């Protein structure tokens, strides 16, 4: 009670201070910003003191951006200070909102413009390099332009993922930066090209749903009409029929369609990451062509035909829905309705892409599209190519390093859970970490990490290893310390080894598609004098279809993934995490805790039996036998009553909604029945 009274007094004093600052402001713009800050600060304080049993210590300090600090002094980081305070998520949100209120919309606009200028300048500087690359593979001017764009993204050093920012490059600016007479992306791939690709090959596609109130779901564009080859394959008419109902999607088109293999190879080589490319086709006049959703990849969208309207939002706070994958929001059964984004989200960018425009969207940023534009215009179908920078897909992030290192060292991930291979590592307790820790943990590895032409590969591994350990310590010091330095470095080295192998497999796959394209061009030239006759689908041609050609590379990809997982499971315990070695003398106060562990909590020198109800990093919530709760206890205040069983699997259900918990219980019941 005394602590609460002290905290309330501090809140009142802080409120008076903020209001005094507001009243003393003379400039109208400054006054408006300060008053907005004061309002949100009040809301934040109310949220803090409304939280039951959350004893924020007296001496609570709201981290303010101080513009009067001398240049030679380091400016305190508000986000880091908020994380240190261990405030409840809703309070953190309100304070972050209060701090952000002092910035104007002009800052965002200037930030976008700065990024766009960086990319355009880099494109101008690498024009000669891009031409040399294109000539090396016998490609054309368009492929050189694609390489220039992706090389500029890599060399500019712009952040990706949760730390990134969307931006648009307009067609005229792109043309000028490339020093070309015409934009090479305009008309690069259109409906005629798609019709030809369908005629030459056996392709597959999906159609997306259009309800912006529900998750984005996809269905097959066509089903086999019979047993023969011709009856089984999808036709251009099937695509046109599907366009009446929604967007048609060709996944991994760069591996299947020879004309698109060159640009996809350019994306892979320029960024030095194993990447893919999809085609999205939407008929004109669709109010919703893609409901709001997030992606696992940072994507580069190139509009090649028609027009499409885009809205890009800031990522939602993952702590509000921790059981939702931040990289798959609004997909499948996950709901991310447009009305909620418009009411609660932050719209960062709204633009209509014309032919030749380029849009960058970082991973985890919600976006939605429409082709319902000017009713008076007779728009063609919108066709855009989406290049996927697949870092998260291939374990090229710090969360994957931590997960594999703990597994290799036989250390139970008591802080985050989700340690089994079948678990989704992007859901659960990881989404309840303080925002700075969460975004660092989800960060992609540097573009240069897989560069085999680097003069100092060991230095790249050392730098990533150092950062991975530092982030792991911020997540949970106990588990990070249980993994020795050699295992950390070995894990980073293995992830790099897999990444390089994936890079080479993808390059070979795209080169094989390019070669197939050249063979088809030669065959077309030989039959050009036979108008109206389609080339016969011989057995030799059938074996060259992408259906079979690409599958061989997918098998290699699966083998490479399996090797890394097998390696991580073949490790031996490196510290106190094993029962084959003696536990440390103070194991009861140092070993990691998980939800459900029986402990004794230190309350002023007396220990009382309790159960752990929440574990987030080194902070724990407990519930006593009489129902009372205590929040935010440090590990040293809890005595574990029995040594942990590191082989035991656990699932944290504390953050699940009633519906999610019910579904999980049904899955467990089904699993138990199957086991019997």
């Amino acid at each position: 009670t005394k602590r609460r009274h002290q905290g309330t007094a501090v809140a009142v004093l802080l409120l008076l201070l903020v209001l005094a600052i507001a009243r003393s402001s003379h400039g109208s713009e400054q006054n408006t910003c300060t008053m907005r800050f004061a309002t949100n600060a009040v809301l934040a304080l109310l949220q803090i003191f409304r939280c039951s049993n959350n004893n924020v210590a007296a001496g609570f300090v709201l981290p303010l951006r101080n513009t009067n600090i001398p240049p030679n002094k380091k400016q305190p980081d508000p986000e880091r200070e908020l994380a240190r305070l261990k405030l409840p998520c809703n309070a953190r949100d309100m304070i972050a909102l209060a701090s952000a209120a002092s910035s104007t919309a002009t800052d965002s606009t200037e930030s976008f413009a700065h990024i766009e200028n960086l990319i355009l300048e880099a494109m101008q500087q690498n024009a000669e390099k891009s031409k040399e690359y294109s000539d090396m593979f016998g490609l054309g001017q368009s492929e050189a332009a694609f390489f220039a764009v992706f090389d500029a993204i890599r060399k500019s050093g712009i952040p990706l993922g949760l730390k990134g920012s969307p931006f648009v490059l307009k067609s005229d600016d792109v043309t000028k930066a490339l020093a070309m007479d015409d934009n090479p992306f305009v008309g690069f791939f259109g409906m005629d090209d798609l019709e030809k690709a369908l005629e030459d090959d056996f392709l597959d596609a999906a159609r997306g749903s259009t309800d912006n109130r529900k998750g984005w779901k996809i269905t097959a564009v066509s089903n086999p009409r019979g047993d023969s080859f011709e009856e089984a394959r999808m036709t251009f008419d099937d695509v046109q029929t599907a366009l009446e109902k929604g967007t048609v999607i060709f996944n991994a088109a760069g591996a299947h369609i020879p004309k698109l293999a060159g640009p996809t190879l350019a994306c892979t080589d320029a960024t030095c990451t194993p990447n893919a490319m999809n085609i999205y086709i939407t008929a004109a006049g669709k109010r919703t062509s893609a409901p709001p959703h997030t992606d696992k990849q940072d994507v580069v969208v190139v509009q090649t035909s028609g027009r499409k309207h885009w809205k890009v939002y800031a990522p939602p706070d993952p702590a509000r829905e921790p059981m939702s994958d931040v990289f798959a929001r609004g997909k499948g059964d996950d709901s991310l309705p447009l009305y909620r984004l418009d009411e609660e989200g932050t719209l960062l960018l709204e633009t209509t892409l014309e032919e030749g425009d380029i849009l960058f969207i970082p991973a985890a940023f919600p976006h939605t599209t429409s082709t319902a534009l000017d009713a008076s215009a007779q728009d063609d179908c919108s066709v855009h190519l989406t290049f996927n920078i697949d870092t998260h897909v291939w374990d090229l992030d710090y969360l994957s390093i931590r997960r594999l290192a703990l597994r290799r060292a036989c250390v139970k991930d008591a802080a985050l859970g989700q340690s089994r291979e079948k678990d989704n590592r992007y859901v659960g307790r990881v989404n309840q970490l303080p925002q700075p820790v969460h975004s660092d943990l989800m960060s992609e590895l540097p573009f240069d990490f897989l560069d085999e032409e680097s003069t100092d590969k060991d230095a790249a591994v050392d730098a990533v290893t150092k950062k991975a350990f530092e982030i792991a310590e911020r997540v949970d010091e106990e588990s990070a310390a249980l993994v020795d330095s050699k295992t950390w470095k070995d894990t980073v080295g293995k992830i790099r080894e897999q990444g390089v192998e994936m890079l080479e497999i993808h390059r070979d796959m795209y080169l094989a598609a390019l070669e197939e394209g050249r063979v088809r061009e030669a065959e077309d030239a030989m039959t050009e004098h036979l108008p109206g006759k389609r080339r016969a689908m011989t057995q030799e041609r059938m074996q060259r279809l992408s259906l079979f050609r690409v599958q061989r590379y997918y098998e290699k990809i699966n083998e490479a993934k399996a090797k890394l997982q097998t390696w991580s499971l073949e490790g031996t315990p490196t510290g106190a995490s094993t029962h084959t070695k003696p536990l440390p003398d103070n194991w009861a106060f140092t070993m990691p805790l998980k939800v459900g562990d029986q402990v004794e909590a230190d309350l002023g020198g007396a220990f009382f039996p309790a159960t752990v109800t929440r574990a987030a990093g080194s902070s724990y919530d407990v519930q006593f036998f009489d129902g009372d709760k205590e929040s935010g206890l440090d590990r040293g205040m809890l005595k574990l009553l029995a040594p942990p069983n590191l082989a035991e699997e656990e699932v944290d259900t504390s953050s699940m909604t009633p519906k999610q918990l019910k579904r999980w219980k049904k899955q467990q019941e089904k699993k138990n029945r199957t086991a019997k």
Side-chain angles (χ1 to χ4, degrees):
T1 301
K2 183 178 180 181
R3 285 205 302 269
R4 288 178 181 169
H5 287 165
Q6 291 173 334
T8 304
V10 171
V12 173
L13 289 173
L14 179 58
L15 174 58
L16 292 173
L17 175 61
V18 172
L19 293 177
I21 295 172
R23 293 188 62 178
S24 65
S25 300
H26 296 291
S28 59
E29 181 178 351
Q30 182 183 3
N31 190 39
T32 300
C33 292
T34 311
M35 287 304 296
R36 192 184 301 123
F37 182 94
T39 302
N40 286 290
V42 171
L43 293 175
L45 292 166
L46 289 175
Q47 288 283 5
I48 293 166
F49 290 101
R50 281 176 57 191
C51 295
S52 60
N53 297 310
N54 182 63
N55 296 320
V56 180
F60 167 84
V61 177
L62 182 64
L64 303 176
R65 177 63 64 178
N66 187 348
T67 58
N68 296 320
I69 290 181
N72 60 335
K73 295 291 185 179
K74 186 177 180 181
Q75 180 72 259
D77 184 350
E79 291 183 345
R80 192 174 295 276
E81 291 300 311
L82 288 175
R84 181 180 62 79
L85 290 170
K86 301 184 177 70
L87 301 177
C89 293
N90 52 359
R92 291 204 312 268
D93 294 341
M94 296 306 301
I95 295 174
L97 180 62
S99 181
S102 60
S103 299
T104 64
T106 306
D107 297 331
S108 298
T109 304
E110 291 176 351
S111 176
F112 294 157
H114 174 68
I115 295 173
E116 292 159 8
N117 290 334
L118 277 178
I119 301 298
L120 293 170
E121 288 173 6
M123 288 170 60
Q124 288 177 327
Q125 295 169 2
N126 65 14
E128 187 63 31
K129 176 182 177 182
S130 301
K131 185 179 183 304
E132 291 176 0
Y133 174 85
S134 179
D135 292 343
M136 180 172 59
F137 291 103
L139 302 174
Q141 187 181 51
S142 296
E143 287 81 4
F146 279 110
F147 183 90
V149 171
F150 302 122
D151 188 62
I153 290 175
R154 174 184 175 182
K155 295 298 173 58
S156 64
I158 62 169
L160 305 179
L162 291 168
K163 298 181 179 181
S165 176
F167 62 83
V168 178
L169 304 178
K170 301 305 290 183
S171 178
D172 290 345
D173 294 330
V174 170
T175 305
K176 182 178 179 181
L178 294 171
M180 295 181 177
D181 295 331
D182 300 303
N183 188 312
F185 305 136
V186 174
F188 177 79
F189 193 90
M191 297 301 286
D192 291 342
D193 296 296
L194 179 62
E195 186 174 11
K196 178 71 165 57
L198 288 166
E199 181 182 319
D200 287 346
D201 215 320
F202 191 105
L203 301 178
D204 194 14
R207 173 177 58 81
S209 60
T210 59
D211 190 340
N212 61 33
R213 300 165 299 177
K214 299 179 180 179
W216 198 19
K217 297 183 179 181
I218 60 173
T219 56
V221 164
S222 67
N223 294 307
R225 292 171 288 275
D227 296 330
S228 70
F229 175 81
E230 289 298 331
E231 291 174 321
R233 72 172 176 167
M234 183 175 58
T235 66
F236 187 64
D237 288 339
D238 292 329
V239 173
Q240 290 181 311
T241 300
L243 285 172
E244 297 175 4
K245 300 180 180 179
T247 294
V248 173
I249 309 154
F250 288 82
N251 285 322
H256 291 272
I257 301 176
K259 183 172 183 178
L260 300 177
T264 315
L265 178 65
C267 175
T268 297
D269 282 341
T271 61
C272 209
T273 51
N275 299 326
M277 190 270 284
N278 306 335
I279 308 173
Y280 293 82
I281 306 169
T282 310
K286 294 296 180 184
R287 187 171 65 90
T288 300
S289 51
H293 66 280
T294 66
D295 292 317
K296 202 170 189 176
Q297 306 91 344
D298 296 86
V299 300
V300 179
V301 176
V302 180
Q303 188 77 23
T304 60
S305 180
R307 300 188 298 164
K308 181 168 283 187
H309 189 74
W310 292 76
K311 296 173 76 174
V312 184
Y313 298 81
D317 180 6
R320 292 182 178 179
E321 297 186 54
M323 297 310 296
S324 294
D325 185 341
V326 295
F327 297 119
R329 295 302 317 273
K331 290 183 176 179
D333 294 327
D334 185 79
S335 179
L336 191 65
L338 181 59
Y339 70 83
R340 186 191 301 172
L341 278 176
D342 286 337
E343 292 174 358
E344 304 174 5
T346 302
L347 179 62
L348 298 178
L349 185 150
E350 183 170 11
T351 186
T352 297
L353 292 189
E354 310 275 352
E355 293 181 358
D357 290 350
I358 299 172
L359 169 66
F360 174 78
I361 305 176
F365 279 58
H367 50 278
T368 184
T369 59
S370 168
T371 56
L373 303 168
D374 186 359
S376 62
Q378 297 296 317
D379 280 338
D380 296 328
C381 280
S382 167
V383 180
H384 74 258
L385 312 179
T386 294
F387 294 86
N388 306 313
I389 301 176
D390 287 330
T391 47
H392 299 293
V393 174
W394 307 123
D395 299 317
L396 298 173
D397 59 34
Y398 290 97
L399 176 61
S400 297
I401 293 176
R402 179 183 179 276
R403 189 187 198 202
L404 292 171
L406 293 183
R407 186 187 297 170
R408 175 72 177 179
C410 302
V411 174
K412 192 70 172 180
D413 190 356
L416 302 184
Q418 308 297 71
S419 57
R420 299 171 298 182
E421 188 55 34
K422 62 183 178 181
D423 291 333
N424 183 346
R425 60 187 179 274
Y426 300 113
V427 304
R429 281 175 271 169
V430 66
N431 290 328
Q432 296 175 313
L433 292 171
Q435 187 274 333
V437 180
H438 180 268
S439 61
D440 283 350
L441 190 62
M442 298 287 189
S443 292
E444 299 86 348
L445 303 187
F447 276 133
D448 295 339
F449 182 63
L450 302 182
D451 190 353
E452 284 291 88
E453 297 180 3
S454 171
T455 56
D456 201 345
K457 302 170 190 175
D458 290 339
V461 171
D462 290 341
V464 170
T465 302
K466 181 176 182 293
K467 185 173 180 179
F469 178 71
E470 290 172 351
I471 295 173
E473 276 194 314
R474 291 163 62 197
V475 174
D476 178 29
E477 292 183 10
E478 288 87 349
S479 62
L482 291 173
V483 181
D484 62 27
S485 58
K486 182 179 184 303
T487 301
W488 281 111
K489 186 170 182 176
D490 288 349
T491 302
V492 174
K494 275 294 180 181
I495 287 179
R496 186 183 186 280
E497 181 181 309
Q498 177 195 253
V500 170
E501 185 174 1
M502 290 290 185
L503 187 58
E504 291 305 313
I505 293 172
H506 280 73
R507 294 186 78 257
D508 290 344
M509 181 167 61
Y510 301 137
L511 288 170
L514 281 172
E515 181 59 29
E516 173 61 23
R518 295 185 177 110
V519 172
R520 292 180 186 177
E521 287 178 1
E523 292 175 342
D524 287 342
M526 293 175 62
T527 59
E528 191 176 5
H529 64 287
L530 302 173
K533 290 189 177 182
R534 296 179 60 183
R535 287 180 284 120
M537 183 58 69
T538 63
Q539 186 67 27
E540 187 270 338
R541 274 195 63 212
M542 191 172 294
Q543 290 301 314
R544 289 177 8 228
L545 292 176
S546 67
L547 177 71
F548 305 108
R549 184 185 70 246
V550 174
Q551 184 59 34
R552 294 192 290 270
Y553 295 100
Y554 283 175
E555 290 172 359
K556 293 180 180 180
I557 287 172
N558 290 333
E559 290 173 4
K561 290 175 64 177
K563 281 194 298 185
L564 179 62
Q565 299 307 322
T566 300
W567 175 85
S568 70
L569 294 169
E570 290 176 344
T572 56
T574 60
S577 60
T578 173
H579 295 305
T580 61
K581 296 181 180 180
L583 291 168
D585 294 337
N586 61 342
W587 63 266
F589 293 95
T590 58
M591 295 295 286
L593 300 177
K594 65 179 183 297
V595 173
D597 276 347
Q598 300 300 308
V599 297
E600 287 184 349
D602 180 4
L603 297 180
F607 285 81
F608 297 91
T611 303
V612 177
T613 58
R614 180 174 177 272
S618 59
S619 177
Y620 301 88
D621 298 350
V622 300
Q623 180 171 329
F624 299 97
F625 70 96
D626 59 358
D628 282 350
K629 300 177 181 179
E630 193 72 19
S631 304
L633 299 180
D634 292 331
R635 179 63 185 89
M637 298 175 66
L638 300 175
K639 178 182 179 181
L640 184 61
L641 298 182
N645 179 8
L646 297 178
E648 178 187 8
E649 292 185 346
E650 92 289 344
V651 175
D652 178 17
T653 62
S654 62
S655 302
M656 294 184 184
T657 64
K659 184 177 180 180
Q660 291 167 335
L661 183 60
K662 184 177 180 181
R663 187 186 304 128
W664 178 80
K665 287 181 177 179
K666 285 184 178 180
Q667 292 173 347
Q668 299 308 304
E669 292 172 359
K670 182 178 180 181
K671 185 189 299 182
N672 293 335
R673 287 196 300 270
T674 304
K676 292 178 181 178

